[in-house]
Amino acid sequence: MRTLWLAVLATLLVLIGCRSGSTDAPEELSARYDSVDGTQTEKMRNVLAAIREEARTEPMKYFHLNDVRADSVREMVDAAPPDEKTRLRYKYAYELLYAGQTKAAIRQLETMIEALNLSPRRMSRQAKPIFELLALAYLRLGEQQNCVDGHASASCILPIRGAGVHTKPAGSQNAAALYERIARRNPRDMQSRWLLNVAHMTLDRYPEGVGGRLRIPDLAPEPHAEIQAFDDVAPKLGVDHFAIAGGTSVEDFNNDGFLDILVTSYGLDDQMKLYLNNGEGGFVDHTEEAGLTGIVSGLNTVHADYNNDGYEDVFVLRGAWAGKVGRHPNSLLRNNGDGTFTDVTYQAGLASYHPTQTAAWADFNQDGWIDLFVGNESNTEFSLLSGQSSGDSTAASHPSELYLNNGDGTFTNVAAQVGLEIDAYVKGSDWGDVNNDGLPDLYISILGGPNRLYMNQGGASIDAWQFVERAEAAGVQDPFFSFPTWFWDYNNDGHLDLFASAYDMRYLQRSAHAVAAEYMGMSTDAERPRVYRNDGDGTFTDVTDTLNLNTVMFAMGSNHGDLDNDGYQDFYVGTGAPDFGAIVPNRMFHNQGGTAFDEVTFAGGFGHIQKGHGVAFADFDRDGDQDIYAVIGGAVEGDPFHNALFENPGHGHHWITLDLVGRSANRSAIGARLALTVSAPDGTTRTIHRTVGTGGSFGAQSLQQEIGLGDATRIDTLRVTWPNAQGTTQTFTDLDVDQTLRLVEGQSPTVLDRPPVPFDPSNSPARHTGHDPDAMTTASE
């Protein structure tokens, strides 16, 4: 296993360059940042500003500060002896490309090629990386000039056609010419072959433009009887936020009956955005009015009503992937109920300094107050992006945290006390009641180690509370390289099943190679995801093959929902890697009645080839079906893109939306179990199961439950099991379909008047606040 990790580390060092990091331990950072001036939001603004300034003084420690890194490498080139200049010039071109200065990178590479008298016709193995980087730069130039500056709904979505075809073809033309040379000389180089096919598609020359031996089949759309094509309406509505990787929380933050969008971005000075649904078919940028200016960075978010005041609050996670230099504070944003938020992290006792991107809310001790698990990224073997081995004296441990809600606005970390001593590279987490005993259990996804399942044993008091790890006995330790995860009942049998994605770090720089090989029917050892069926006896069965999901996925942001309201949950996977060559489609899978999944990526128009991150299924226009919001953009400075909002065209099925309100249970009703027995016109009945939560571990959707009913015309019974100490159950009978109900614990349902409001770009003030093309370095070079 250690040999495997060494290979991974070597790949990463090629990508980002070896560097040392700060020796400050978390407690030293606490002493420094806890004393920063300011109260509440002002204090967090000042802390984040200080981190930003410190980072820019030592940019080589931060793999995504590429603009400043490029300047540093240029200075190295100028001072280097002759025998070092070639290597450093290549690194300089690399940093320019990854900073978004694509034309400058191309000039550097072409100058190198001329100076070294290299030719693509006589490409040696030593020269191949230079030509590969040049081809990639040309391909990226085409993306920037067409998909970014000339952004349209069809931009960068496979199969590329119509408005997605490049009107400025030079970038892809040059890339295609180089990739053909590379692929012909290196027939086993599936990544170059894949990128050759993509380049031809952007020029409207696929498949006929690709030589038969180099052509990758089946990249054209296939009709699907059950799923219609979705259209990306984000550009029309102004919610196509332009930034690098980030997270999203979709929720009705101002309680006006319409779902809003909060998005974050990974860059150290990237401003989060709050788009309020104006109830007229559009969105308004409410960031400044909400008091969020200066609250920057963050790769993921999760939300819940932590203080039970009736307004959903947001937790923002920072420092992911960055190892020692990722010791940034997270943020708890309290929703004040008046359209504003206050950062109360320090006052709430949640300030800590660990790299993390995953957290999950649940009332684990059922006292009516929602608690918070935070999964941190420990350097137990290797800190993946810091190039720092565990043998280094500065490689700190970052144990995960379980924050008990004290019910007074503060939290206490009780992880070690209750048996959650987790020191691993945690990349995903989710709560779910595995054995239906009323207590939420915790699944931990680990990148580079066996995953863990902690069964909640309960206790007479918090002092006696215990969790016990059971992953091996339950059969849910795989995959070894695991990332986002979630509990769900994919087959509606009343037992929570488990999805654990795969993110194979061995392929970090050649993910397109693995995807292309699979399309060609070739073998690849890239790790696959796992779907585990809950057997109802404390064990799970791996049904990945049975469900037709044994396929390569470099999963990042992802979530589950119901595309066609048939009552079975589907899922969308955002894919990619920091490498610019990771141009692989995000993928959508449609549930076939709980027995298998069909891929509908191309048929549904979901095959975005830009990097996919936070994902949320949500009914923004209140027409009863779920749209999909996806955060798009890579992990480095030069890889921003526009977020997408895929509008559901409707599929003719019935639905019910449920807004649950806990009383003795937590106000958000997170963990409530729903069982709906429904009748079809032919008299047949079935039961649909749901659990209240925000879905997957990378992307948070609304806590209101949007449930498809298929062809059912009546809800015979709706049983709600509330997540409180008593396990209170309420049953409601003979309910109409196609309506929204509010379910308050202990009360009868209330019908909410929520008619559909179609998307209307003319009523969306946010649509005029998109990115400024002049901000792209390529546009001004």
Side-chain angles (χ1 to χ4, degrees):
M1 189 59 66
R2 188 172 179 84
T3 301
L4 172 62
W5 271 104
L6 286 169
V8 173
L9 179 63
T11 301
L12 287 164
L13 294 183
V14 170
L15 174 65
I16 59 174
C18 186
R19 61 195 184 277
S20 61
S22 169
T23 59
D24 292 338
E27 57 271 16
E28 294 169 328
L29 290 174
S30 178
R32 185 197 312 171
Y33 292 135
D34 287 358
S35 62
V36 168
D37 290 338
T39 59
Q40 297 185 317
T41 303
E42 181 185 11
K43 181 181 179 71
M44 183 59 73
R45 286 194 194 105
N46 293 338
V47 169
L48 296 176
I51 290 172
R52 229 166 33 240
E53 291 308 308
E54 290 172 10
R56 294 185 71 83
T57 65
E58 297 182 284
M60 300 310 289
K61 296 178 182 178
Y62 295 82
F63 72 93
H64 58 340
L65 288 182
N66 307 93
D67 191 38
V68 189
R69 284 169 63 97
D71 291 341
S72 296
V73 177
R74 187 189 64 237
E75 294 174 2
M76 295 178 195
V77 172
D78 295 340
D83 60 340
E84 282 289 302
K85 283 191 183 292
T86 297
R87 181 182 65 83
L88 287 172
R89 281 175 177 154
Y90 177 87
K91 184 173 178 59
Y92 180 42
Y94 177 96
E95 292 293 352
L96 286 171
L97 175 60
Y98 279 72
Q101 300 181 49
T102 310
K103 290 182 179 178
I106 290 171
R107 287 195 296 269
Q108 284 292 321
L109 291 165
E110 289 180 336
T111 299
M112 282 183 64
I113 289 169
E114 182 178 357
L116 295 171
N117 194 28
L118 302 177
S119 168
R121 293 185 178 87
R122 303 183 304 277
M123 192 184 306
S124 67
R125 188 175 66 177
Q126 292 77 14
K128 183 174 181 269
I130 299 175
F131 286 105
E132 285 178 321
L133 191 61
L134 179 59
L136 194 57
Y138 274 125
L139 194 62
R140 182 60 182 163
L141 179 64
E143 291 175 336
Q144 288 175 317
Q145 291 180 334
N146 294 275
C147 298
V148 173
D149 295 340
H151 185 58
S153 294
S155 294
C156 277
I157 295 178
L158 287 184
I160 296 169
R161 57 189 174 185
V165 173
H166 289 189
T167 58
K168 295 181 179 180
S172 283
Q173 287 172 343
N174 289 328
L178 282 172
Y179 278 126
E180 182 158 2
R181 293 276 183 187
I182 296 169
R184 288 192 183 281
R185 292 183 66 87
N186 303 273
R188 295 184 180 181
D189 182 353
M190 298 303 298
Q191 176 141 316
S192 294
R193 190 168 168 180
W194 173 272
L195 296 176
L196 169 66
N197 280 258
V198 171
H200 276 290
M201 190 176 285
T202 67
L203 300 169
D204 201 22
R205 299 196 311 221
Y206 174 89
E208 62 277 356
V210 188
R213 204 163 57 86
L214 298 179
R215 184 183 304 148
I216 295 176
D218 301 326
L219 298 183
E222 296 181 0
H224 195 279
E226 296 166 316
I227 301 299
Q228 300 182 46
F230 287 55
D231 184 37
D232 177 14
V233 297
K236 303 173 186 175
L237 301 176
V239 292
D240 56 333
H241 181 57
F242 183 75
I244 62 173
T248 186
S249 279
V250 169
E251 192 52 84
D252 181 5
F253 288 113
N254 57 358
N255 288 359
D256 66 352
F258 292 91
L259 296 181
D260 313 306
I261 302 170
L262 183 142
V263 294
T264 62
S265 181
Y266 188 43
L268 296 181
D269 58 357
D270 288 356
Q271 174 64 54
M272 71 164 47
K273 287 285 186 178
L274 175 61
Y275 297 103
L276 290 184
N277 190 325
N278 64 9
E280 299 176 352
F283 292 84
V284 176
D285 185 344
H286 191 70
T287 308
E288 183 176 356
E289 294 84 348
L292 294 173
T293 303
I295 303 301
V296 297
S297 191
L299 188 55
N300 197 11
T301 68
V302 288
H303 60 272
D305 183 0
Y306 82 92
N307 55 1
N308 287 346
D309 67 351
Y311 292 90
E312 302 299 332
D313 314 293
V314 181
F315 190 68
V316 182
L317 296 133
R318 298 190 178 96
W321 298 107
K324 300 180 298 188
V325 296
R327 295 163 175 164
H328 303 164
N330 302 317
S331 277
L332 177 61
L333 302 176
R334 184 187 67 208
N335 188 336
N336 299 319
D338 59 0
T340 68
F341 287 80
T342 300
D343 193 310
V344 296
T345 310
Y346 287 91
Q347 293 73 22
L350 291 175
S352 64
Y353 302 94
H354 305 286
T356 180
Q357 84 159 68
T358 185
W361 295 96
D363 182 6
F364 78 86
N365 64 338
Q366 296 184 327
D367 64 353
W369 298 92
I370 200 79
D371 310 302
L372 179 65
F373 172 80
V374 181
N376 295 320
E377 298 174 357
S378 278
N379 305 338
T380 51
E381 185 67 23
F382 288 105
S383 179
L384 295 177
L385 289 185
S386 70
Q388 192 62 56
S389 73
S390 58
D392 192 297
S393 61
T394 65
S397 171
H398 297 286
S400 295
E401 300 152 305
L402 177 63
Y403 287 103
L404 174 70
N405 191 327
N406 298 320
D408 59 0
T410 68
F411 293 80
T412 301
N413 183 12
V414 297
Q417 176 182 331
V418 300
L420 291 180
E421 296 177 291
I422 303 166
D423 200 8
Y425 207 91
V426 180
K427 292 305 295 181
S429 58
D430 198 21
W431 295 93
D433 185 359
V434 168
N435 53 4
N436 288 350
D437 66 352
L439 296 172
D441 310 301
L442 179 65
Y443 189 71
I444 306 295
S445 169
I446 296 171
L447 191 68
N451 298 330
R452 304 182 191 178
L453 174 62
Y454 289 92
M455 299 299 295
N456 191 338
Q457 304 298 298
S461 68
I462 194 61
D463 293 329
W465 215 275
Q466 280 296 305
F467 288 82
V468 176
E469 207 282 309
R470 290 280 189 262
E472 184 176 9
V476 294
Q477 289 185 304
D478 290 331
F480 183 81
F481 292 106
S482 188
F483 197 171
T485 187
W486 61 75
F487 285 107
W488 60 343
D489 189 352
Y490 77 86
N491 57 0
N492 281 328
D493 68 352
H495 297 281
L496 283 179
D497 311 302
L498 182 60
F499 178 87
S501 70
Y503 194 75
D504 198 328
M505 296 298 292
R506 298 169 299 176
Y507 283 84
L508 191 67
Q509 283 189 283
R510 53 195 185 109
S511 57
H513 173 96
V515 171
E518 190 169 80
Y519 268 94
M520 293 296 294
M522 301 168 61
S523 63
T524 170
D525 63 349
E527 196 156 24
R528 268 70 166 180
R530 300 291 191 278
V531 182
Y532 295 109
R533 186 190 65 218
N534 190 330
D535 295 328
D537 60 0
T539 67
F540 292 76
T541 297
D542 184 345
V543 292
T544 313
D545 278 332
T546 303
L547 295 179
N548 198 31
L549 290 174
N550 189 18
T551 185
V552 175
M553 294 181 204
F554 291 88
M556 299 189 296
S558 50
N559 222 320
H560 52 93
D562 190 349
L563 289 176
D564 58 349
N565 277 347
D566 66 351
Y568 290 92
Q569 295 188 81
D570 317 302
F571 69 100
Y572 189 44
V573 173
T575 65
D579 178 46
F580 276 4
I583 300 176
V584 295
N586 300 326
R587 304 176 73 174
M588 183 72 81
F589 296 89
H590 179 240
N591 191 333
Q592 300 294 298
T595 61
F597 285 81
D598 280 352
E599 183 164 5
V600 295
T601 298
F602 296 156
F606 301 111
H608 216 302
I609 55 176
Q610 297 298 317
K611 317 302 171 50
H613 289 88
V615 171
F617 286 70
D619 183 8
F620 291 103
D621 50 1
R622 302 200 314 196
D623 61 356
D625 49 41
Q626 292 187 305
D627 314 297
I628 298 100
Y629 190 79
V631 177
I632 309 292
V636 296
E637 195 170 25
D639 202 9
F641 205 78
H642 301 267
N643 293 352
L645 172 54
F646 296 105
E647 180 181 8
N648 195 321
H651 293 80
H653 288 147
H654 295 292
W655 54 275
I656 186 85
T657 297
L658 303 175
D659 179 15
L660 284 84
V661 179
R663 288 295 186 238
S664 64
N666 69 89
R667 172 62 174 73
S668 297
I670 290 174
R673 301 288 291 267
L674 308 173
L676 297 85
T677 301
V678 299
S679 293
D682 62 2
T684 60
T685 64
R686 64 177 173 131
T687 302
I688 300 168
H689 294 270
R690 292 290 184 273
T691 300
V692 176
T694 56
S697 65
F698 197 171
Q701 52 208 30
S702 173
L703 292 165
Q704 74 176 22
Q705 295 301 291
E706 301 157 353
I707 304 171
L709 305 175
D711 60 355
T713 55
R714 203 76 191 155
I715 300 173
D716 299 327
T717 62
L718 164 60
R719 187 178 73 251
V720 182
T721 303
W722 294 93
N724 56 22
Q726 298 76 33
T728 303
T729 298
Q730 289 182 271
T731 301
F732 310 105
T733 60
D734 197 25
L735 301 174
D736 292 333
V737 299
D738 301 340
Q739 63 174 335
T740 299
L741 298 178
R742 174 161 291 152
L743 303 178
V744 179
E745 181 186 345
Q747 300 179 18
S748 298
T750 302
V751 178
L752 300 179
D753 183 19
R754 292 187 176 175
V757 179
F759 292 128
D760 184 352
S762 67
N763 285 331
S764 193
R767 72 190 181 101
H768 301 296
T769 62
H771 95 284
D772 178 5
D774 290 335
M776 289 299 298
T777 55
T778 55
S780 59
E781 288 174 0

